[in-house]
Amino acid sequence: SAVNTWGYSLGYALLIGMQRLFVLDVSELEFELEGPWKLGTHRQVSLAFIDPSLGGTGYLRRIADEFHQVARIAIEHLDHANCESACYRCLKSYRNQRHHAFLRWPVVMPHLEALAGSAPMQRPLQTGDLDDPKPWLEAYSAGVGSPLELQFLRLFEKHGFHPEKQVPVSPTV
């Protein structure tokens, strides 16, 4: 679909920009395309960049502050000869092979150029205090690892499905 083509192409281009700007190994950041969700007559996706290190490395905050540079580096990386959509030189890799059919760098060049055009500006939060620990504490007390997992658990229970919770394993048990 066009939404997947745009989302995966932009996400992997930005991920490459992040890796190159901050000299990161491919295992230090991950990318997931979430959605699409219907929003009126439009479809919406979310590009999620994940720091898989326990406790985080701090790169995501730096990346957010220099997102225009990430986009600029991605553009420079995608500027190469003899590639009309995606190749192993630009967007394709072994790790993203299940998405190769969606990768088309020309589709996202205008968006990368727009992102590269100006530095990000911080805005006040509009959806509430994202640092509120209550949803996390509620999830932990229910035996799951995040507020999203708690929502799924409640949805499963509502429909009569009661999944077995994972049990922590330690050397003493």
PDB file of all heavy atoms in Angstrom, residues 132-158:
ATOM      1  N   ASP A 132       3.884  10.942  33.817  1.00  0.00           N
ATOM      2  CA  ASP A 132       3.067  10.475  34.928  1.00  0.00           C
ATOM      3  C   ASP A 132       3.300   8.983  35.147  1.00  0.00           C
ATOM      4  O   ASP A 132       3.065   8.176  34.249  1.00  0.00           O
ATOM      5  CB  ASP A 132       1.597  10.737  34.612  1.00  0.00           C
ATOM      6  CG  ASP A 132       0.662  10.309  35.730  1.00  0.00           C
ATOM      7  OD1 ASP A 132       1.156   9.936  36.819  1.00  0.00           O
ATOM      8  OD2 ASP A 132      -0.559  10.355  35.511  1.00  0.00           O
ATOM      9  N   PRO A 133       3.767   8.582  36.327  1.00  0.00           N
ATOM     10  CA  PRO A 133       4.074   7.168  36.561  1.00  0.00           C
ATOM     11  C   PRO A 133       2.844   6.305  36.835  1.00  0.00           C
ATOM     12  O   PRO A 133       2.931   5.081  36.815  1.00  0.00           O
ATOM     13  CB  PRO A 133       4.986   7.212  37.787  1.00  0.00           C
ATOM     14  CG  PRO A 133       4.522   8.421  38.532  1.00  0.00           C
ATOM     15  CD  PRO A 133       4.134   9.417  37.456  1.00  0.00           C
ATOM     16  N   LYS A 134       1.666   6.920  37.095  1.00  0.00           N
ATOM     17  CA  LYS A 134       0.492   6.137  37.501  1.00  0.00           C
ATOM     18  C   LYS A 134       0.118   5.041  36.502  1.00  0.00           C
ATOM     19  O   LYS A 134      -0.131   3.911  36.920  1.00  0.00           O
ATOM     20  CB  LYS A 134      -0.699   7.059  37.766  1.00  0.00           C
ATOM     21  CG  LYS A 134      -0.577   7.801  39.084  1.00  0.00           C
ATOM     22  CD  LYS A 134      -1.805   8.638  39.352  1.00  0.00           C
ATOM     23  CE  LYS A 134      -1.344  10.069  39.497  1.00  0.00           C
ATOM     24  NZ  LYS A 134      -2.324  11.060  39.348  1.00  0.00           N
ATOM     25  N   PRO A 135       0.053   5.305  35.186  1.00  0.00           N
ATOM     26  CA  PRO A 135      -0.305   4.220  34.268  1.00  0.00           C
ATOM     27  C   PRO A 135       0.703   3.061  34.309  1.00  0.00           C
ATOM     28  O   PRO A 135       0.322   1.899  34.190  1.00  0.00           O
ATOM     29  CB  PRO A 135      -0.315   4.885  32.891  1.00  0.00           C
ATOM     30  CG  PRO A 135      -0.480   6.343  33.153  1.00  0.00           C
ATOM     31  CD  PRO A 135       0.155   6.591  34.487  1.00  0.00           C
ATOM     32  N   TRP A 136       1.968   3.386  34.484  1.00  0.00           N
ATOM     33  CA  TRP A 136       2.994   2.349  34.555  1.00  0.00           C
ATOM     34  C   TRP A 136       2.868   1.537  35.833  1.00  0.00           C
ATOM     35  O   TRP A 136       2.973   0.302  35.820  1.00  0.00           O
ATOM     36  CB  TRP A 136       4.384   2.973  34.440  1.00  0.00           C
ATOM     37  CG  TRP A 136       4.634   3.480  33.063  1.00  0.00           C
ATOM     38  CD1 TRP A 136       4.380   4.741  32.591  1.00  0.00           C
ATOM     39  CD2 TRP A 136       5.125   2.730  31.956  1.00  0.00           C
ATOM     40  NE1 TRP A 136       4.694   4.803  31.266  1.00  0.00           N
ATOM     41  CE2 TRP A 136       5.165   3.597  30.845  1.00  0.00           C
ATOM     42  CE3 TRP A 136       5.552   1.422  31.797  1.00  0.00           C
ATOM     43  CZ2 TRP A 136       5.603   3.196  29.598  1.00  0.00           C
ATOM     44  CZ3 TRP A 136       5.998   1.014  30.556  1.00  0.00           C
ATOM     45  CH2 TRP A 136       6.019   1.891  29.470  1.00  0.00           C
ATOM     46  N   LEU A 137       2.634   2.216  36.959  1.00  0.00           N
ATOM     47  CA  LEU A 137       2.482   1.515  38.230  1.00  0.00           C
ATOM     48  C   LEU A 137       1.252   0.613  38.203  1.00  0.00           C
ATOM     49  O   LEU A 137       1.276  -0.514  38.718  1.00  0.00           O
ATOM     50  CB  LEU A 137       2.407   2.513  39.385  1.00  0.00           C
ATOM     51  CG  LEU A 137       3.676   3.338  39.625  1.00  0.00           C
ATOM     52  CD1 LEU A 137       3.431   4.409  40.679  1.00  0.00           C
ATOM     53  CD2 LEU A 137       4.840   2.441  40.008  1.00  0.00           C
ATOM     54  N   GLU A 138       0.173   1.088  37.589  1.00  0.00           N
ATOM     55  CA  GLU A 138      -1.037   0.273  37.453  1.00  0.00           C
ATOM     56  C   GLU A 138      -0.757  -0.967  36.606  1.00  0.00           C
ATOM     57  O   GLU A 138      -1.185  -2.068  36.944  1.00  0.00           O
ATOM     58  CB  GLU A 138      -2.149   1.115  36.825  1.00  0.00           C
ATOM     59  CG  GLU A 138      -3.476   0.393  36.701  1.00  0.00           C
ATOM     60  CD  GLU A 138      -4.546   1.254  36.041  1.00  0.00           C
ATOM     61  OE1 GLU A 138      -4.445   2.500  36.087  1.00  0.00           O
ATOM     62  OE2 GLU A 138      -5.480   0.673  35.483  1.00  0.00           O
ATOM     63  N   ALA A 139      -0.013  -0.791  35.541  1.00  0.00           N
ATOM     64  CA  ALA A 139       0.334  -1.927  34.676  1.00  0.00           C
ATOM     65  C   ALA A 139       1.197  -2.927  35.432  1.00  0.00           C
ATOM     66  O   ALA A 139       0.947  -4.140  35.380  1.00  0.00           O
ATOM     67  CB  ALA A 139       1.046  -1.436  33.414  1.00  0.00           C
ATOM     68  N   TYR A 140       2.200  -2.435  36.126  1.00  0.00           N
ATOM     69  CA  TYR A 140       3.085  -3.334  36.877  1.00  0.00           C
ATOM     70  C   TYR A 140       2.317  -4.104  37.949  1.00  0.00           C
ATOM     71  O   TYR A 140       2.537  -5.291  38.156  1.00  0.00           O
ATOM     72  CB  TYR A 140       4.237  -2.556  37.521  1.00  0.00           C
ATOM     73  CG  TYR A 140       5.196  -1.924  36.536  1.00  0.00           C
ATOM     74  CD1 TYR A 140       5.888  -0.779  36.865  1.00  0.00           C
ATOM     75  CD2 TYR A 140       5.406  -2.464  35.268  1.00  0.00           C
ATOM     76  CE1 TYR A 140       6.771  -0.176  35.973  1.00  0.00           C
ATOM     77  CE2 TYR A 140       6.279  -1.876  34.372  1.00  0.00           C
ATOM     78  CZ  TYR A 140       6.954  -0.730  34.725  1.00  0.00           C
ATOM     79  OH  TYR A 140       7.812  -0.153  33.844  1.00  0.00           O
ATOM     80  N   SER A 141       1.395  -3.416  38.636  1.00  0.00           N
ATOM     81  CA  SER A 141       0.639  -4.110  39.679  1.00  0.00           C
ATOM     82  C   SER A 141      -0.303  -5.155  39.093  1.00  0.00           C
ATOM     83  O   SER A 141      -0.662  -6.108  39.771  1.00  0.00           O
ATOM     84  CB  SER A 141      -0.121  -3.111  40.554  1.00  0.00           C
ATOM     85  OG  SER A 141      -1.144  -2.487  39.819  1.00  0.00           O
ATOM     86  N   ALA A 142      -0.699  -5.011  37.838  1.00  0.00           N
ATOM     87  CA  ALA A 142      -1.530  -6.013  37.167  1.00  0.00           C
ATOM     88  C   ALA A 142      -0.679  -7.148  36.602  1.00  0.00           C
ATOM     89  O   ALA A 142      -1.220  -8.107  36.048  1.00  0.00           O
ATOM     90  CB  ALA A 142      -2.349  -5.358  36.056  1.00  0.00           C
ATOM     91  N   GLY A 143       0.646  -7.022  36.695  1.00  0.00           N
ATOM     92  CA  GLY A 143       1.536  -8.092  36.250  1.00  0.00           C
ATOM     93  C   GLY A 143       1.951  -8.005  34.791  1.00  0.00           C
ATOM     94  O   GLY A 143       2.423  -8.978  34.212  1.00  0.00           O
ATOM     95  N   VAL A 144       1.775  -6.831  34.174  1.00  0.00           N
ATOM     96  CA  VAL A 144       2.232  -6.647  32.792  1.00  0.00           C
ATOM     97  C   VAL A 144       3.283  -5.548  32.754  1.00  0.00           C
ATOM     98  O   VAL A 144       3.478  -4.834  33.737  1.00  0.00           O
ATOM     99  CB  VAL A 144       1.054  -6.324  31.841  1.00  0.00           C
ATOM    100  CG1 VAL A 144       0.091  -7.503  31.754  1.00  0.00           C
ATOM    101  CG2 VAL A 144       0.313  -5.070  32.269  1.00  0.00           C
ATOM    102  N   GLY A 145       3.949  -5.399  31.605  1.00  0.00           N
ATOM    103  CA  GLY A 145       5.106  -4.526  31.531  1.00  0.00           C
ATOM    104  C   GLY A 145       4.886  -3.111  31.057  1.00  0.00           C
ATOM    105  O   GLY A 145       5.812  -2.306  31.081  1.00  0.00           O
ATOM    106  N   SER A 146       3.670  -2.745  30.611  1.00  0.00           N
ATOM    107  CA  SER A 146       3.460  -1.388  30.128  1.00  0.00           C
ATOM    108  C   SER A 146       1.967  -1.069  30.113  1.00  0.00           C
ATOM    109  O   SER A 146       1.129  -1.973  30.138  1.00  0.00           O
ATOM    110  CB  SER A 146       4.028  -1.231  28.709  1.00  0.00           C
ATOM    111  OG  SER A 146       3.204  -1.907  27.774  1.00  0.00           O
ATOM    112  N   PRO A 147       1.614   0.217  30.036  1.00  0.00           N
ATOM    113  CA  PRO A 147       0.196   0.588  29.935  1.00  0.00           C
ATOM    114  C   PRO A 147      -0.476  -0.008  28.688  1.00  0.00           C
ATOM    115  O   PRO A 147      -1.636  -0.400  28.749  1.00  0.00           O
ATOM    116  CB  PRO A 147       0.232   2.119  29.871  1.00  0.00           C
ATOM    117  CG  PRO A 147       1.487   2.499  30.582  1.00  0.00           C
ATOM    118  CD  PRO A 147       2.463   1.411  30.236  1.00  0.00           C
ATOM    119  N   LEU A 148       0.247  -0.095  27.584  1.00  0.00           N
ATOM    120  CA  LEU A 148      -0.327  -0.690  26.377  1.00  0.00           C
ATOM    121  C   LEU A 148      -0.631  -2.172  26.592  1.00  0.00           C
ATOM    122  O   LEU A 148      -1.691  -2.659  26.200  1.00  0.00           O
ATOM    123  CB  LEU A 148       0.622  -0.506  25.191  1.00  0.00           C
ATOM    124  CG  LEU A 148       0.121  -1.034  23.849  1.00  0.00           C
ATOM    125  CD1 LEU A 148      -1.181  -0.350  23.443  1.00  0.00           C
ATOM    126  CD2 LEU A 148       1.181  -0.847  22.782  1.00  0.00           C
ATOM    127  N   GLU A 149       0.275  -2.886  27.245  1.00  0.00           N
ATOM    128  CA  GLU A 149       0.023  -4.295  27.543  1.00  0.00           C
ATOM    129  C   GLU A 149      -1.186  -4.439  28.457  1.00  0.00           C
ATOM    130  O   GLU A 149      -1.971  -5.383  28.304  1.00  0.00           O
ATOM    131  CB  GLU A 149       1.257  -4.933  28.181  1.00  0.00           C
ATOM    132  CG  GLU A 149       2.402  -5.122  27.221  1.00  0.00           C
ATOM    133  CD  GLU A 149       3.628  -5.704  27.896  1.00  0.00           C
ATOM    134  OE1 GLU A 149       3.500  -6.382  28.941  1.00  0.00           O
ATOM    135  OE2 GLU A 149       4.735  -5.476  27.377  1.00  0.00           O
ATOM    136  N   LEU A 150      -1.361  -3.525  29.394  1.00  0.00           N
ATOM    137  CA  LEU A 150      -2.520  -3.567  30.279  1.00  0.00           C
ATOM    138  C   LEU A 150      -3.813  -3.377  29.487  1.00  0.00           C
ATOM    139  O   LEU A 150      -4.811  -4.054  29.732  1.00  0.00           O
ATOM    140  CB  LEU A 150      -2.404  -2.522  31.384  1.00  0.00           C
ATOM    141  CG  LEU A 150      -3.557  -2.483  32.389  1.00  0.00           C
ATOM    142  CD1 LEU A 150      -3.724  -3.837  33.088  1.00  0.00           C
ATOM    143  CD2 LEU A 150      -3.335  -1.373  33.402  1.00  0.00           C
ATOM    144  N   GLN A 151      -3.795  -2.468  28.504  1.00  0.00           N
ATOM    145  CA  GLN A 151      -4.978  -2.277  27.655  1.00  0.00           C
ATOM    146  C   GLN A 151      -5.319  -3.562  26.909  1.00  0.00           C
ATOM    147  O   GLN A 151      -6.486  -3.936  26.811  1.00  0.00           O
ATOM    148  CB  GLN A 151      -4.745  -1.131  26.665  1.00  0.00           C
ATOM    149  CG  GLN A 151      -4.741   0.233  27.303  1.00  0.00           C
ATOM    150  CD  GLN A 151      -4.441   1.330  26.293  1.00  0.00           C
ATOM    151  OE1 GLN A 151      -4.418   1.119  25.091  1.00  0.00           O
ATOM    152  NE2 GLN A 151      -4.204   2.534  26.805  1.00  0.00           N
ATOM    153  N   PHE A 152      -4.299  -4.234  26.370  1.00  0.00           N
ATOM    154  CA  PHE A 152      -4.544  -5.493  25.682  1.00  0.00           C
ATOM    155  C   PHE A 152      -5.078  -6.550  26.643  1.00  0.00           C
ATOM    156  O   PHE A 152      -6.003  -7.287  26.317  1.00  0.00           O
ATOM    157  CB  PHE A 152      -3.279  -6.003  24.986  1.00  0.00           C
ATOM    158  CG  PHE A 152      -3.066  -5.404  23.635  1.00  0.00           C
ATOM    159  CD1 PHE A 152      -2.076  -4.454  23.440  1.00  0.00           C
ATOM    160  CD2 PHE A 152      -3.837  -5.789  22.555  1.00  0.00           C
ATOM    161  CE1 PHE A 152      -1.867  -3.896  22.196  1.00  0.00           C
ATOM    162  CE2 PHE A 152      -3.644  -5.226  21.304  1.00  0.00           C
ATOM    163  CZ  PHE A 152      -2.665  -4.284  21.122  1.00  0.00           C
ATOM    164  N   LEU A 153      -4.493  -6.627  27.833  1.00  0.00           N
ATOM    165  CA  LEU A 153      -4.947  -7.595  28.830  1.00  0.00           C
ATOM    166  C   LEU A 153      -6.416  -7.363  29.153  1.00  0.00           C
ATOM    167  O   LEU A 153      -7.213  -8.315  29.177  1.00  0.00           O
ATOM    168  CB  LEU A 153      -4.094  -7.507  30.096  1.00  0.00           C
ATOM    169  CG  LEU A 153      -4.496  -8.446  31.230  1.00  0.00           C
ATOM    170  CD1 LEU A 153      -4.329  -9.910  30.804  1.00  0.00           C
ATOM    171  CD2 LEU A 153      -3.674  -8.154  32.479  1.00  0.00           C
ATOM    172  N   ARG A 154      -6.798  -6.119  29.411  1.00  0.00           N
ATOM    173  CA  ARG A 154      -8.200  -5.789  29.714  1.00  0.00           C
ATOM    174  C   ARG A 154      -9.118  -6.141  28.543  1.00  0.00           C
ATOM    175  O   ARG A 154     -10.225  -6.635  28.739  1.00  0.00           O
ATOM    176  CB  ARG A 154      -8.354  -4.315  30.084  1.00  0.00           C
ATOM    177  CG  ARG A 154      -7.592  -3.883  31.316  1.00  0.00           C
ATOM    178  CD  ARG A 154      -8.156  -4.514  32.589  1.00  0.00           C
ATOM    179  NE  ARG A 154      -7.465  -3.990  33.753  1.00  0.00           N
ATOM    180  CZ  ARG A 154      -6.747  -4.724  34.581  1.00  0.00           C
ATOM    181  NH1 ARG A 154      -6.637  -6.024  34.381  1.00  0.00           N
ATOM    182  NH2 ARG A 154      -6.151  -4.180  35.619  1.00  0.00           N
ATOM    183  N   LEU A 155      -8.662  -5.892  27.323  1.00  0.00           N
ATOM    184  CA  LEU A 155      -9.449  -6.222  26.137  1.00  0.00           C
ATOM    185  C   LEU A 155      -9.622  -7.739  26.010  1.00  0.00           C
ATOM    186  O   LEU A 155     -10.718  -8.231  25.739  1.00  0.00           O
ATOM    187  CB  LEU A 155      -8.769  -5.655  24.884  1.00  0.00           C
ATOM    188  CG  LEU A 155      -9.504  -5.804  23.564  1.00  0.00           C
ATOM    189  CD1 LEU A 155     -10.838  -5.062  23.596  1.00  0.00           C
ATOM    190  CD2 LEU A 155      -8.643  -5.265  22.432  1.00  0.00           C
ATOM    191  N   PHE A 156      -8.546  -8.482  26.233  1.00  0.00           N
ATOM    192  CA  PHE A 156      -8.627  -9.942  26.193  1.00  0.00           C
ATOM    193  C   PHE A 156      -9.608 -10.445  27.238  1.00  0.00           C
ATOM    194  O   PHE A 156     -10.472 -11.281  26.955  1.00  0.00           O
ATOM    195  CB  PHE A 156      -7.249 -10.569  26.438  1.00  0.00           C
ATOM    196  CG  PHE A 156      -6.273 -10.400  25.322  1.00  0.00           C
ATOM    197  CD1 PHE A 156      -4.911 -10.351  25.603  1.00  0.00           C
ATOM    198  CD2 PHE A 156      -6.672 -10.284  24.010  1.00  0.00           C
ATOM    199  CE1 PHE A 156      -3.980 -10.201  24.577  1.00  0.00           C
ATOM    200  CE2 PHE A 156      -5.753 -10.130  22.981  1.00  0.00           C
ATOM    201  CZ  PHE A 156      -4.399 -10.088  23.272  1.00  0.00           C
ATOM    202  N   GLU A 157      -9.473  -9.942  28.467  1.00  0.00           N
ATOM    203  CA  GLU A 157     -10.344 -10.387  29.552  1.00  0.00           C
ATOM    204  C   GLU A 157     -11.807 -10.061  29.261  1.00  0.00           C
ATOM    205  O   GLU A 157     -12.700 -10.857  29.554  1.00  0.00           O
ATOM    206  CB  GLU A 157      -9.905  -9.755  30.877  1.00  0.00           C
ATOM    207  CG  GLU A 157      -8.576 -10.277  31.368  1.00  0.00           C
ATOM    208  CD  GLU A 157      -8.016  -9.508  32.555  1.00  0.00           C
ATOM    209  OE1 GLU A 157      -8.480  -8.370  32.840  1.00  0.00           O
ATOM    210  OE2 GLU A 157      -7.098 -10.042  33.197  1.00  0.00           O
ATOM    211  N   LYS A 158     -12.054  -8.911  28.669  1.00  0.00           N
ATOM    212  CA  LYS A 158     -13.416  -8.494  28.318  1.00  0.00           C
ATOM    213  C   LYS A 158     -14.072  -9.488  27.364  1.00  0.00           C
ATOM    214  O   LYS A 158     -15.265  -9.723  27.405  1.00  0.00           O
ATOM    215  CB  LYS A 158     -13.370  -7.096  27.684  1.00  0.00           C
ATOM    216  CG  LYS A 158     -14.692  -6.569  27.209  1.00  0.00           C
ATOM    217  CD  LYS A 158     -14.523  -5.196  26.583  1.00  0.00           C
ATOM    218  CE  LYS A 158     -15.793  -4.752  25.896  1.00  0.00           C
ATOM    219  NZ  LYS A 158     -15.595  -3.489  25.196  1.00  0.00           N
TER     220      LYS A 158
END
